[in-house]
Amino acid sequence: MLDRFGRKIDYLRISVTDRCNFRCQYCMSEKMTFMPKNELLTLDEICLIAERFIGHGVRKIRLTGGEPLVRRDMKRVIQRLGRKVETGDLDELTLTTNGSLLGEYADHLAAHNVRRVNISLDILDPVKFAEITRGAKVDQVLAGIKAAKQNGIRVKINMVALRDFNQGALIPMAEYCAEQGHDLTVIETMPMGDVGADRKLEHISAQEFIAPLSDHYFVRPIEHRSAGPARYMSVDPLGLRLGLITPLSHNFCDNCNRLRLTTDGKIFMCLGHNAHVDLRAVVRNEGVGAVDRLLEKALKLKPLRHEFNDQLNGSAETLERHMNVTGG
Ligand code: SAM
Ligand code: SF4
């Protein structure tokens, strides 16, 4: 699949549910409402659509949400899509998760070809962790991370940079990750959905956020590239690889290879745009073959770049959609 700008699209992110057992302050509002259950794709429909996308050249799938592991029967989906890695139809099946249910899922993930997971962890301090997630327990997440590691799954920690909240937590996080052999990625907040806070006040550029690391460690850019938008630093002598995801301070759309499927069956070609194609009704009426036609339409919608900066500054219409709908 190629878009209008010649970018090869081979990476699908599926938000399998918009629900979550956490309420992270930058992701959701306190009184979040979720999609009615009767509007969701069934797990069977999700797999059928994903398989059709694979037929069109998708090589990598990431399951996300909401929290992907809160959706009932996820083990079936992991098993079915994990088989595609075995047959060589997919290069990778992976997840972004808050880690809280990994104790229960890690062995199943490992058994079905999930080799890496991204786990969100913004701070190690239990009180501040409970504050930012509105009530979750960091020990449960740390236990989940341990279970993943014990099952041979590589872990990357995602830390959202929040001004005046977790900058002081970066050094302990970097040391924890280095000690445990996890990669660490710092992510700038994106203005998605109303969360009842001023996005401008919480925003801090990744570069400013990591500056204090240099007081203690030698931080230098390295050439390492992944399929994603991160730029990498090496933090020595910790031996830590630190990724920076900088949608606002350093646009990364030039090489974007992604498309996204929401749990109610919409294809979004960009996290930061409202344009989408609705698959659910058409697939239910005409069968999964209709995906071919709709994918062609969706590819034409992929914009050159997101507009998060304009949205943050109020010069572009804000996105009503919260992060949990399209998945990070
Ligand atoms: N629940 C899972 C988790 O937290 O990893 C998966 C879904 S979550 C929406 C995916 C990623 O998006 C997480 O790393 C989270 O920290 C990040 N995220 C959520 N809201 C965000 C925002 N407004 N700006 C930047 N990152 C955000
Ligand atoms: Fe849930 Fe992930 Fe959003 Fe936190 S960031 S509320 S864990 S979906």
Side-chain angles (χ1 to χ4, degrees):
M1 289 183 281
L2 287 180
D3 75 355
R4 291 176 295 153
F5 307 102
R7 291 174 295 194
K8 186 173 170 194
I9 311 300
D10 58 4
Y11 180 5
L12 171 66
R13 291 198 169 197
I14 309 177
S15 174
V16 293
T17 176
D18 63 334
R19 287 161 202 261
C20 188
N21 50 347
F22 292 8
R23 293 287 182 278
C24 302
Q25 294 194 25
Y26 50 81
C27 177
M28 296 190 180
S29 66
E30 194 163 10
K31 298 226 164 5
M32 202 59 189
T33 50
F34 298 101
M35 293 177 199
K37 287 207 168 132
N38 60 3
E39 288 189 8
L40 309 187
L41 294 176
T42 64
L43 293 181
D44 208 40
E45 286 171 328
I46 289 179
C47 290
L48 275 175
I49 293 171
E51 284 159 3
R52 200 79 189 183
F53 284 13
I54 291 171
H56 283 276
V58 162
R59 298 293 310 169
K60 175 171 170 180
I61 293 183
R62 177 176 296 278
L63 304 174
T64 175
E67 172 48 41
L69 298 179
V70 301
R71 182 142 182 196
R72 194 141 30 106
D73 284 342
M74 270 311 288
K75 286 190 177 168
R76 265 198 303 127
V77 175
I78 290 156
Q79 189 170 359
R80 185 157 158 187
L81 295 178
R83 209 174 298 135
K84 296 283 170 195
V85 177
E86 226 157 87
T87 55
D89 295 308
L90 267 187
D91 294 333
E92 186 172 41
L93 174 67
T94 182
L95 266 88
T96 303
T97 168
N98 64 29
S100 61
L101 299 173
L102 276 177
E104 194 186 315
Y105 273 87
D107 58 343
H108 185 84
L109 293 172
H112 294 96
N113 302 311
V114 176
R115 313 261 178 257
R116 296 191 307 148
V117 289
N118 288 359
I119 300 175
S120 307
L121 181 61
D122 301 318
I123 194 156
L124 292 165
D125 175 77
V127 175
K128 290 188 90 176
F129 183 81
E131 180 188 337
I132 195 68
T133 56
R134 298 194 179 99
K137 293 190 166 55
V138 76
D139 283 351
Q140 198 181 341
V141 174
L142 294 175
I145 295 173
K146 202 166 161 194
K149 188 177 167 188
Q150 277 166 351
N151 279 279
I153 300 174
R154 267 200 73 81
V155 171
K156 189 169 78 177
I157 301 295
N158 281 343
M159 180 179 193
V160 173
L162 298 159
R163 185 178 288 283
D164 299 331
F165 181 74
N166 61 350
Q167 193 171 21
L170 178 63
I171 288 175
M173 187 69 83
E175 289 170 350
Y176 159 77
C177 288
E179 186 192 297
Q180 295 295 318
H182 309 321
D183 287 336
L184 174 63
T185 296
V186 167
I187 305 177
E188 292 177 355
T189 53
M190 292 168 249
M192 299 197 59
D194 181 4
V195 289
D198 188 337
R199 295 278 192 192
K200 257 197 202 150
L201 294 182
E202 74 181 7
H203 185 75
I204 175 169
S205 76
Q207 207 63 46
E208 185 183 345
F209 187 79
I210 66 162
L213 257 186
S214 303
D215 297 341
H216 294 78
Y217 294 106
F218 183 53
V219 184
R220 67 187 163 90
I222 51 172
E223 277 306 311
H224 177 80
R225 298 279 338 153
S226 60
R231 292 177 293 134
Y232 291 90
M233 308 277 182
S234 156
V235 184
D236 293 310
L238 282 181
L240 174 74
R241 188 162 67 203
L242 174 68
L244 303 183
I245 298 194
T246 54
L248 283 101
S249 63
H250 193 276
N251 188 279
F252 51 46
C253 303
D254 290 355
N255 301 316
C256 183
N257 60 349
R258 296 167 186 202
L259 80 167
R260 297 163 192 273
L261 176 68
T262 61
T263 188
D264 60 345
K266 296 188 174 77
I267 307 179
F268 282 87
M269 299 304 293
C270 175
L271 192 57
H273 277 255
N274 280 323
H276 62 270
V277 170
D278 206 337
L279 285 183
R280 194 184 67 220
V282 188
V283 166
R284 284 185 183 165
N285 290 334
E286 297 177 29
V288 75
V291 164
D292 303 358
R293 190 177 82 240
L294 296 175
L295 255 183
E296 221 170 280
K297 193 170 158 196
L299 278 173
K300 293 196 183 113
L301 291 181
K302 191 163 176 70
L304 187 56
R305 50 180 297 169
H306 67 68
E307 290 163 357
F308 287 134
N309 283 305
D310 300 336
Q311 285 150 353
L312 190 68
N313 295 329
S315 56
E317 201 184 327
T318 50
L319 285 172
E320 280 176 23
R321 204 171 67 249
H322 288 85
M323 189 67 125
N324 63 310
V325 174
T326 4

